[in-house]
Amino acid sequence: MESVWGLISQCIPYLVSFLALILLLEQISYLKKKRFLPGPKLVFPFIGNAISLVKNPTKFWDMQSSYAKSTPLGVSANYIIGRYILYIYSTDLSHKIFANVRPDAFHLVGHPFGKKLFGEHNLIYMFGKEHKDLRSRIAPNFTPRALQTYTNMQQRIILEHLKSWCRKPGNESFGSIPLRILCRDMNLETSQTVFVGPYISAAARERFNIDYNFFNVGLMKLPIDLPGFAFRNARLAVERLVETLAGCVEESEKKMKNGEEPSCLIDFWMQEHLRELSETSNNPFELTYKEIGGHLFDFLFASQDASTSSLLWAVAFLDSHPEVLERVRKEVTKYWVPESDAVIAAEQLREMKYTEAVAREVVRIRAPATMVPHIAGGDFRLTENYVIPKGTIVFPSVFDSSFQGFTEPDRFDPDRFMEERQEDRVYKKYFLAFGAGPHQCVGQRYAINHLMLFIAMFATLINFKRDKTDGCDEIAYVPTIVPKDDCRIFLSQRCSRFPSF
């Protein structure tokens, strides 16, 4: 026994030396990749600055932005879970990354460890012709006819939730209610209804909501794929969610084969899919039910949390800018009278120019997904003096771009999007909330419509006031950005009666 302990004691100095060498090589590798870029001088072994990122993401990304702004290049560096990362403040460099999504340059990942969550064959990981073909087949899901079908459903769901919010008793201590979870639940019901409509049962919706919460929590945790950890729960939840959506795809295809009219997004997709199959004699574009279910989950993920973020910030900015709220109310009443019990028609929504300007300004000044992570598939020359090493996770900041170029970018000013000023055209390159390049959001019109409908109905039907506290409007990541206080408000019914449709 003594000889064993003696052997171990002899090995300890060698083991310590080996670990010290590994740590030294890790630091050297980080510094070699970082070169002259601003960022931490030294990083914690292996995990890097992951703990500070998870504990306070707002502070972490603010620091990366400050580093990047300190240099004319507009780029900063850091190290997380064994991965070298770059933060891109410069709008021109962000466009360069968005324009070079291809196998040998950048791979859009949606989340630093997204492939483990979403799977290898996700829409966001596609390139070239395969990606282009799929997007062309998704396009019929967002035609004016389809969008009108969706707006009718969106309004009915928004109305039911607004009515329930007014019936909800205020918090006993504050007399106000936080909107974040309420908006999230409303958006989850909206997404489920618009995307898969009648094909998801009440029991499936309940399980769906639980699994989606697992997914949301896992997004903000360390990527430890072991039993009991939030990331593992999220990955397994995504698998169950995709299976549920795949079953909806199969049911929709059966219905569309019978020649029925589309009533939700998957119906429009299956109708077009069946039409194409009937007209194509060779090599039709085929997807399995599970693959389509995975793409539906992409839509849900893209619309769900981003939309919740925008709705909350819309309420916050309308409250802090009463003159904007008044103009919205006046415009909406020109085209829609709640007592008429009619939904807002597509033509009426298109006429609400100022309401749309408010929606776009909300998205600009508080881009829901502040960054769009990519992985470098190969060494990439970003500038004349800097090459991004292969494997680097690159974070173009669409949030920072929103505060570049525009006139008084820190000011909430919907008029910048009106025809008289046309800042959306003059400064188009800085408006990156929906991305750019081949992976630009295919459902952005749907997203703007949803935000417009909520603003129009909330402003018209509800009286509200923020329950303001110190720091309530500070940014919190959940994972999209929301007001730190979850947008706590006092509210009451404003209209004489709620519409019935």
Side-chain angles (χ1 to χ4, degrees):
M1 187 68 178
E2 290 180 3
S3 62
V4 173
W5 283 111
L7 181 62
I8 291 174
S9 63
Q10 291 176 21
C11 291
I12 287 176
Y14 295 101
L15 180 61
V16 170
S17 298
F18 177 73
L19 290 175
L21 177 62
I22 294 296
L23 297 180
L24 178 62
L25 291 174
E26 184 180 47
Q27 298 297 322
I28 291 173
S29 173
Y30 165 70
L31 293 173
K32 184 180 177 182
K33 292 174 179 177
K34 178 177 175 288
R35 294 179 60 203
F36 55 82
L37 297 180
K41 296 288 191 295
L42 296 173
V43 292
F44 200 79
F46 182 66
I47 63 172
N49 284 295
I51 292 177
S52 60
L53 169 60
V54 172
K55 285 180 65 176
N56 192 337
T58 304
K59 183 178 178 181
F60 177 88
W61 293 117
D62 282 349
M63 181 61 68
Q64 287 305 126
S65 180
S66 296
Y67 278 138
K69 284 187 278 190
S70 70
T71 171
L73 187 60
V75 180
S76 64
N78 212 316
Y79 190 75
I80 300 172
I81 311 290
R83 301 298 292 267
Y84 176 63
I85 73 164
L86 288 181
Y87 180 95
I88 310 295
Y89 171 83
S90 163
T91 297
D92 288 333
L93 294 183
S94 291
H95 273 283
K96 193 169 187 178
I97 290 160
F98 290 139
N100 284 281
V101 176
R102 59 177 195 270
D104 64 335
F106 295 105
H107 305 183
L108 176 62
V109 292
H111 181 274
F113 303 94
K115 284 194 176 183
K116 283 190 174 182
L117 281 175
F118 305 121
E120 293 282 341
H121 303 292
N122 191 280
L123 172 65
I124 60 178
Y125 305 133
M126 291 182 175
F127 302 101
K129 188 175 185 302
E130 181 186 24
H131 176 251
K132 187 177 180 180
D133 285 347
L134 181 57
R135 281 180 67 97
S136 71
R137 286 164 174 82
I138 291 172
N141 301 333
F142 300 102
T143 61
R145 174 177 168 238
L147 289 171
Q148 177 65 70
T149 300
Y150 308 154
T151 58
N152 292 344
M153 289 187 280
Q154 288 167 290
Q155 290 175 74
R156 290 186 175 93
I157 294 168
I158 291 171
L159 175 61
E160 289 308 309
H161 281 264
L162 292 183
K163 287 159 69 174
S164 72
W165 297 357
C166 287
R167 292 192 297 267
K168 193 173 289 293
N171 181 284
E172 291 180 4
S173 302
F174 298 96
S176 58
I177 58 173
L179 282 187
R180 183 171 73 84
I181 300 302
L182 297 178
C183 282
R184 186 203 68 178
D185 291 346
M186 179 182 73
N187 283 337
L188 197 52
E189 182 181 349
T190 303
S191 298
Q192 291 170 351
T193 305
V194 168
F195 297 161
V196 293
Y199 308 113
I200 183 167
S201 66
R205 282 179 187 263
E206 188 174 340
R207 180 67 226 187
F208 200 103
N209 295 350
I210 294 170
D211 279 337
Y212 196 83
N213 189 56
F214 277 135
F215 167 71
N216 251 350
V217 172
L219 282 177
M220 301 298 292
K221 301 299 182 182
L222 293 174
I224 302 173
D225 195 8
L226 293 172
F229 285 87
F231 189 83
R232 167 66 67 88
N233 293 338
R235 184 177 64 77
L236 296 178
V238 170
E239 291 178 6
R240 292 191 295 269
L241 290 166
V242 170
E243 286 292 342
T244 298
L245 293 170
C248 296
V249 175
E250 186 173 5
E251 290 301 312
S252 172
E253 186 182 59
K254 292 176 183 176
K255 180 179 173 182
M256 293 302 100
K257 280 182 177 177
N258 291 331
E260 297 184 42
E261 281 297 306
S263 62
C264 60
L265 184 147
I266 191 55
D267 283 349
F268 283 102
W269 193 341
M270 289 298 97
Q271 184 183 65
E272 183 65 17
H273 175 65
L274 292 171
R275 183 198 63 76
E276 185 180 15
L277 287 178
S278 68
E279 295 177 359
T280 307
S281 57
N282 54 344
N283 297 323
F285 185 86
E286 277 289 359
L287 290 171
T288 66
Y289 296 136
K290 187 172 183 179
E291 286 172 331
I292 297 175
H295 297 318
L296 285 175
F297 180 74
D298 296 345
F299 294 164
L300 190 138
F301 172 53
S303 66
Q304 170 66 27
D305 297 301
S307 181
T308 297
S309 169
S310 293
L311 267 53
L312 295 174
W313 288 114
V315 172
F317 282 113
L318 288 173
D319 174 79
S320 60
H321 295 78
E323 74 287 355
V324 173
L325 175 60
E326 186 59 30
R327 284 181 65 182
V328 167
R329 284 173 168 166
K330 283 184 178 179
E331 179 179 70
V332 172
T333 54
K334 284 172 59 179
Y335 301 103
W336 180 59
V337 179
E339 287 77 13
S340 69
D341 293 335
V343 297
I344 301 172
E347 305 77 35
Q348 294 170 319
L349 195 63
R350 282 195 294 270
E351 290 299 320
M352 297 180 188
K353 303 298 184 184
Y354 186 72
T355 304
E356 179 171 0
V358 172
R360 291 192 177 277
E361 178 68 344
V362 168
V363 173
R364 180 199 70 85
I365 203 166
R366 288 294 182 268
T370 58
M371 294 159 290
V372 187
H374 293 66
I375 290 180
D379 292 349
F380 183 87
R381 182 166 292 283
L382 185 65
T383 68
E384 185 178 339
N385 299 318
Y386 189 77
V387 175
I388 298 178
K390 179 180 179 180
T392 301
I393 303 180
V394 185
F395 292 86
S397 175
V398 301
F399 183 85
D400 280 335
S401 290
S402 293
F403 295 92
Q404 301 169 38
F406 291 99
T407 306
E408 295 184 88
D410 292 323
R411 184 167 167 251
F412 182 74
D413 181 15
D415 280 313
R416 73 175 78 251
F417 287 101
M418 296 296 281
E419 188 66 28
E420 294 80 10
R421 287 169 56 181
Q422 300 185 10
E423 287 195 24
D424 55 329
R425 299 174 193 172
V426 177
Y427 303 115
K428 182 179 179 180
K429 78 171 186 176
Y430 300 103
F431 189 75
L432 293 176
F434 293 107
H439 280 269
Q440 188 174 33
C441 176
V442 70
Q444 58 181 286
R445 184 68 253 178
Y446 168 80
I448 291 294
N449 280 357
H450 186 61
L451 183 52
M452 287 179 66
L453 287 168
F454 176 80
I455 290 171
M457 296 177 72
F458 187 81
T460 304
L461 303 177
I462 304 294
N463 278 319
F464 64 97
K465 181 182 179 183
R466 285 292 298 282
D467 185 4
K468 290 195 173 182
T469 56
D470 289 342
C472 66
D473 283 331
E474 292 177 11
I475 290 173
Y477 285 78
V478 292
T480 50
I481 59 171
V482 299
K484 189 176 180 179
D485 72 336
D486 285 349
C487 198
R488 183 174 283 276
I489 66 168
F490 303 94
L491 58 76
S492 61
Q493 181 175 328
R494 178 175 182 264
C495 53
S496 59
R497 67 175 180 84
F498 284 113
S500 176
F501 47 71

